[in-house]
Amino acid sequence: LLLGCLGLLASPPAAAAEFSPSLDSDFTFTLPAGRRECFYQPMRKEASLELEYQVLDGAGLDVDFHLLSPKGETLVFDERKSDGVHTVETEDGDYMFCFDNTFSTISEKVIFFELILDNMGDDGQDQEDWKKYVTGTDLLDMKLEDILESINSVKARLSKSVQIQTLLRAFEARDRNIQESNFDRVNFWSMVNLGVMVVVSAVQVYMLKSLFEDKRKSRT
């Protein structure tokens, strides 16, 4: 699920991907065992970057998360977390966030994350474009400013609804993976229990049969 990926850059420690300046982008990827994947997002000054991630599948459902500023300063560090939500006020530059699975030697992880960008500058320009059509007459009960406000309100609510639905899908995927894992585990131990019962039953039958066998030997 990738809404706004523009490109992928390779670096010695990890790979990096840049997202388009859309307001909402989400991505699901598989992080192999012993690997680290990094992504970067260009931001403007006085904007807002909200990032939410969840580990959908993999042993332990945990991962290390790092968020770095354009100056290379660590803003957020989550150690072996299954999910997290972080919001930062940004400055001009590229923000890097990394998912680290180097502590795991066997299990790969399926990770979902979503980016929400606010105050990126486009909405203000749209409002200025609307204002030039506003006149001083009151021919209509509702002015263009009121129409714009209503449209922005509907747009914000629709965006919030899409965000909630995306998160619910992520929760559903994680719960389904857990249930399937539990189902396989229950089936495995049920078969082991059944095998033990069959072996014990066979041993009991053999022992009971041996008690009633005539072991006397006829003399010649």
Side-chain angles (χ1 to χ4, degrees):
L1 298 174
L2 178 58
L3 299 182
C5 184
L6 290 182
L8 186 66
L9 299 179
S11 59
E18 178 183 1
F19 292 87
S20 66
S22 59
L23 293 179
D24 192 352
S25 300
D26 57 90
F27 186 32
T28 302
F29 70 101
T30 300
L31 181 60
R35 289 285 301 277
R36 178 184 181 189
E37 294 289 343
C38 293
F39 305 85
Y40 69 93
Q41 172 61 50
M43 295 298 298
R44 298 180 181 180
K45 187 177 180 180
E46 298 181 353
S48 175
L49 169 63
E50 179 180 347
L51 191 148
E52 178 165 354
Y53 69 91
Q54 296 180 29
V55 182
L56 303 182
D57 195 14
L61 294 176
D62 54 358
V63 72
D64 290 345
F65 174 76
H66 304 260
L67 177 61
L68 286 78
S69 70
K71 298 179 181 179
E73 301 172 347
T74 300
L75 302 177
V76 176
F77 173 61
D78 291 341
E79 184 176 6
R80 305 193 71 167
K81 294 286 189 66
S82 61
D83 55 69
V85 181
H86 302 287
T87 304
V88 295
E89 300 299 324
T90 62
E91 58 186 17
D92 291 330
D94 296 336
Y95 284 75
M96 176 175 288
F97 52 99
C98 302
F99 299 93
D100 193 342
N101 194 32
T102 54
F103 59 84
S104 178
T105 58
I106 299 176
S107 176
E108 65 181 15
K109 307 293 173 62
V110 178
I111 301 174
F112 163 84
F113 68 87
E114 182 178 20
L115 294 176
I116 300 175
L117 313 180
D118 292 325
N119 300 326
M120 293 298 289
D122 295 333
D123 292 341
Q125 183 61 39
D126 293 340
Q127 293 179 1
E128 293 297 329
D129 293 339
W130 273 88
K131 288 181 181 179
K132 66 182 181 181
Y133 295 103
V134 178
T135 62
T137 61
D138 295 330
L139 298 178
L140 299 175
D141 293 333
M142 180 179 292
K143 297 182 181 179
L144 290 179
E145 294 95 331
D146 300 325
I147 298 176
L148 177 60
E149 183 178 356
S150 300
I151 293 175
N152 288 335
S153 177
V154 172
K155 177 182 177 183
R157 293 181 181 181
L158 288 176
S159 299
K160 189 64 176 180
S161 299
V162 172
Q163 178 188 358
I164 293 175
Q165 290 176 357
T166 302
L167 295 179
L168 290 177
R169 286 197 301 268
F171 279 121
E172 188 272 337
R174 183 172 66 179
D175 293 341
R176 184 177 65 251
N177 290 330
I178 294 175
Q179 291 175 1
E180 290 177 352
S181 177
N182 292 337
F183 178 76
D184 294 337
R185 190 177 294 110
V186 169
N187 284 340
F188 172 77
W189 288 111
S190 297
M191 295 300 297
V192 171
N193 189 31
L194 179 61
V196 172
M197 292 176 60
V198 170
V199 172
V200 171
S201 299
V203 172
Q204 289 178 345
V205 170
Y206 174 78
M207 293 182 64
L208 290 174
K209 184 179 179 181
S210 64
L211 293 176
F212 293 96
E213 287 182 351
D214 188 4
K215 298 183 178 179
R216 292 177 301 175
K217 298 181 179 179
S218 59
R219 296 181 179 180
T220 56

